[in-house]
Amino acid sequence: MLPLQLAPEVAQALDAGHPVVALESTLISHGLPWPANRDVATASEAAVRAAGAVPATVAVRDGWLLVGLDSDTLEALAEAPAGAVRKAARPSLAAALAAGGWAATTVSATMIAARAAGIRVFATGGIGGVHRGAFGGPDAPPTLDVSSDLEELARTPMAVVCAGPKAILDVPATLEYLETRGVPVLTIGQDEVPGFYTRSSGIRAPLAVPDIDAAATIVARHLGIGLAGSVLVTVRIPEGDALGEQETRAAVEQALDDARRRGVAGPDLTPWLLARVAELTEGRSVRANTALIVNDAAVAGQLAARLAAGAA
Ligand code: PSU
Ligand code: MN
């Protein structure tokens, strides 16, 4: 049994069939610097509430999987010094629970907790995916670095709202992987998959839907017919918050080069790349990342409200 500890408000909402949105904590502890991380955590919860849903931020503390954090706990997690918070994904969840202390949950670990709690909608910034070079290059052996997020999406039924795969990834390969593993990918409001920091990735969306209502209908059907796995709902970053295509590409390429030279790999790679992109864009990527996460939370809140109202 998972050692779940539901916040009273979350437990009550779930009992009553009210909409609830799970939020992850790795983006707080490992994805963004203080105090942007605290601000994004608070603003995401507020965005979920504004849509009429209850937020449930997930994290590990002292052997418990907390589902729903009060504001003091959220602040304590955001403030905890780098190195004091583990990163818990499916393969590292048991060790994080055994270790005691704090661990932030990635998309995969958050989905495990949310599913066990009975939550059907989850918002994040960008999912993990196939890292560039995972399948090797002209003069590089394959790293096989494919995020456990993708396997989780394939096995755990839920709606996961994000701004696309993170721009540091191999986005076409990530989409192919999701298709192979049977994960529907929806894009709301445009024909191309969003590019995380940018409005578009330049890649055609597997399935474009006009609005949240249309997304809710497909999610309800997917969950209703009992298909394993999630629906990935992608939403572009708000217009005024997007980074330029050129700036993004240059910063990402540079960060990837730097990481290769330093031999950064494994679970450290994603946080390292995000921090390096933040340096190279003089903080502009942090503002973009913040805006897209809060927007995803708002959309997830609206989606959860429609599902709770019986979207069909
Ligand atoms: N979205 C963001 N920032 C992040 C993440 C998502 O805007 O830092 C986190 C998620 O928790 C995701 C993780 O699961 O990055 C992916 O890590 P990895 O590539 O090591 O699987
Ligand atoms: Mn990895």
Side-chain angles (χ1 to χ4, degrees), residues 91-265:
S92 43
L93 181 58
L97 289 167
W102 280 114
T105 51
T106 66
V107 167
S108 66
T110 304
M111 287 174 73
I112 292 168
R115 166 80 178 141
I119 299 173
R120 293 185 298 173
V121 180
F122 164 39
T124 181
I127 55 158
V130 178
H131 280 273
R132 304 213 196 160
F135 297 100
D139 34 38
T143 64
L144 292 186
D145 191 348
V146 177
S147 175
S148 57
D149 290 354
L150 298 184
E151 291 301 311
E152 203 61 45
L153 286 161
R155 73 199 289 173
T156 300
M158 192 162 296
V160 177
V161 180
C162 73
K166 282 191 273 289
I168 55 170
L169 298 167
D170 184 336
V171 178
T174 300
L175 293 168
E176 290 293 351
Y177 198 100
L178 288 168
E179 179 175 29
T180 300
R181 301 291 283 116
V183 178
V185 177
L186 309 188
T187 298
I188 297 180
Q190 66 180 23
D191 290 336
E192 292 184 354
V193 175
F196 191 64
Y197 297 128
T198 55
R199 300 266 284 174
S200 177
S201 62
I203 296 160
R204 203 178 164 72
L207 186 58
V209 293
D211 51 27
I212 299 174
D213 280 327
T217 302
I218 295 173
V219 168
R221 186 51 76 90
H222 180 89
L223 298 177
I225 59 179
L227 290 179
S230 285
V231 178
L232 188 67
V233 179
T234 64
V235 193
R236 67 193 160 193
I237 184 171
E239 185 137 38
D241 299 307
L243 290 189
E245 308 263 348
Q246 208 89 319
E247 177 181 30
T248 305
R249 198 170 316 118
V252 165
E253 297 292 339
Q254 179 72 52
L256 287 163
D257 264 3
D258 295 347
R260 247 187 313 267
R261 261 198 301 275
R262 285 167 180 253
V264 185

Side-chain angles (χ1 to χ4, degrees), residues 248-288:
T248 305
R249 198 170 316 118
V252 165
E253 297 292 339
Q254 179 72 52
L256 287 163
D257 264 3
D258 295 347
R260 247 187 313 267
R261 261 198 301 275
R262 285 167 180 253
V264 185
D268 294 337
L269 180 58
T270 293
W272 196 93
L273 289 170
L274 294 176
R276 186 72 184 120
V277 169
E279 276 172 16
L280 292 165
T281 59
E282 289 161 347
R284 285 186 292 279
S285 70
V286 171
R287 284 194 289 281

